[in-house]
Each structure stands twice: as structure tokens, then as C-alpha cells.
Amino acid sequence: SEDDFPALTFSFNEEPAKIDSKLSTLGRIAEIWTDTAGCDSSSSEASSSSLGIETAIDYEYNTHSPRAKIESILAWYERVNTEPQNHEEAFALAQLCKKILTALGNANMEQDLDAEESRDVEKEATVVIDKIISLSMTFNDKSFVDADSFNAYIHCLDRLDRTSSARSATDLLKSMANTEEFGGRQLPLPNVGTYNSAMRLWACIGGAEGQRGVNDVYSLLENASSDDVDGCSIRPNKETAELLLAANSKTDDQFSFEQAKSWLEKLRSDSICGEAFTLDEDIYNAALTLSTRAKSANPENNRYSKSWLSSGYQYDGGFKSASVDNEEATDMGKWLIYAEENGV
């Protein structure tokens, strides 16, 4: 029925969005929908860049809870899940399924895991990735399944059992690196996003276990980076550096100024990660993103907290919140001052 899906309101500036003509009408609508802010609430500007044009499309979606977003995504998948008649239709459907999987992962990462309405999407994500693999096998085209498909799948893993999901993500990463099979199809080689996705899950766990997990996955990335074949080795990126700092700037699960400063210098001098290192506001914020003050938020989503460096009210002669230990609050204040001293 019409009430099952979000209402669509289109507003175009200069040129229309480019829609894949191989898809059904519902498929075209879903493709537009997954390309917009409805599946990434960071900003309308981000969604416009993904389309390559300045397009504002409001589905009244960003006001919905993550649970409502998930239900809408899954409802659209059921509507567009058809059997293509030729290779072109199959390729278009595979690309749409990947976008739906990505949207599902984004909504999953927005969930507050302590909320009663949180929803496990791993089972449904498995159905979508299996569909992509099935299309790839039926039409004998390996290009249907790429590393980004599995990166999106990792984002859909169960957040309630974080340790199990992080281990599963790491096992999948290793299987991809060894080009093993998944669902009867040879896995694609991982890209840096695959390593970051696994590291993000470990960072979500926190504590010594989370730190070990993040650093172990980074060791795998270091090994992959050293296997330079025709200049095509995997290299860390800015997100990698931020995840490493976020996980390793803590001692006994509390932010430590000395620990953060030590790791900041270590990353700057790292022969591999140093290439992607940018000493800016984002890297300083990364050190604080998994602090005690932010534990109630979802560390899977980089947009969950406001910038510590650009919001002065968060520091006023020391943090006043009772949820922040006095020693930790002092170290946070020292870190902000240190960032200012370094021109951030």
C-alpha cells in the first residue's frame, strides 16, 4: 500500500539525476532513494556529491529513527527483488542491491544499541549479499561482487554481540585476502575499506580487547601494504589513522593525554600510516571519540558526536559532567589545549 513507503518530494536545480534505465520503475525510485540523504544523514551536500549534481530530495526520512529507516530499506528491497532477464538487467540489479546493503549498514550503525527498538539486520543483510552472489554466478560475472559489497555487509553485522561480530569481520577479511569462497563464489580481494570496517567493529568494543583487535587488523593491513605488486598494494587512509588513534588513546578504558600524544607521534612517524596522516581537527577529535563521555553514543557512526575542538561550551575550565572522571577530564582539557598549540 502507499503507506508502506516514505513519501517522495523531488526538487532539482539544473539537471535531472541519471537513473539506470535497466531497472524497473520501482528499481529506479529505490536507486535515487539509496543515493540520497535518506540513507546518509550526514548532510544533503554529501548526498549531492554522490550523485554528481546538486540535487535535493526530501523523503521525510532523516527525521525517522534508525529502526524506521531499516524497515523502509527492507521494504524497498522486497519490492525491487526481481529476477532479471539478461546481463544488463542483472548488473543494474546487483548495483542496486549493493546500494541497499550500504544504506542498511549506515542505518545499522546509527542504532542506539541500548534502545529497546534496536534491530538486528545481519540476517537480512545476508539475504541481500547472497542475492548479489547469486546474480554473479547466474550471469557468470565476477564484477557483480566487489570488496565494497562485503564492506557494507560487515557494517550490517550484529552490534549486540560486538566481539563475535568483530571476530566474524576479521575472519571474513582474512578469507578475502586468501581469495577463499563465500556462497560458492570466490571472494574479491579486500580494499582499505575492508580493513577499516573490521577495525571499526573492534574499536566499538573498547578496552584492552578492542585495542588488541584494532591493532591486530592493522598488522594485517601493514602486511598487505608491504606486498607491493606493480604498485598496487593496499595503503592506509585517513580513516585508518583516526581509528588507530581512537582505540589507542585510552588507558583502562579512559582517555589518557600521554597515551594519545604518544600514539599521535607514532602515527606521524609510521612508515606506512604516516603517508595518510593529516594533522587536523579530525585526528585530534578521533582521540576523544570513544571516551567515557561518549560511551552512551554509538562509536560506529563518526557523526555521533559534535566536534570537541569547535564547541567551546564542552570545556569550561574542566568538564562538569559527572560521567567524566576528574583525571580523565583534566587529560581531555590538556588535549584540547595541545591541539590549539599545534595550530588546530
Side-chain angles (χ1 to χ4, degrees), residues 226-237:
S226 64
D227 296 334
D228 194 344
V229 180
D230 297 328
C232 296
S233 65
I234 300 175
R235 312 302 288 182
N237 59 17

Side-chain angles (χ1 to χ4, degrees), residues 136-180:
S136 173
M137 296 177 67
T138 300
F139 291 88
N140 194 28
D141 191 336
K142 292 182 179 180
S143 69
F144 286 14
V145 187
D146 59 12
D148 288 337
S149 303
F150 284 94
N151 300 348
Y153 175 72
I154 289 174
H155 292 159
C156 295
L157 294 179
D158 184 8
R159 261 45 181 185
L160 296 178
D161 189 352
R162 301 182 186 186
T163 300
S164 177
S165 293
R167 289 173 179 165
S168 295
T170 305
D171 289 342
L172 177 57
L173 167 63
K174 292 177 179 178
S175 296
M176 292 173 69
N178 294 325
T179 60
E180 298 176 6

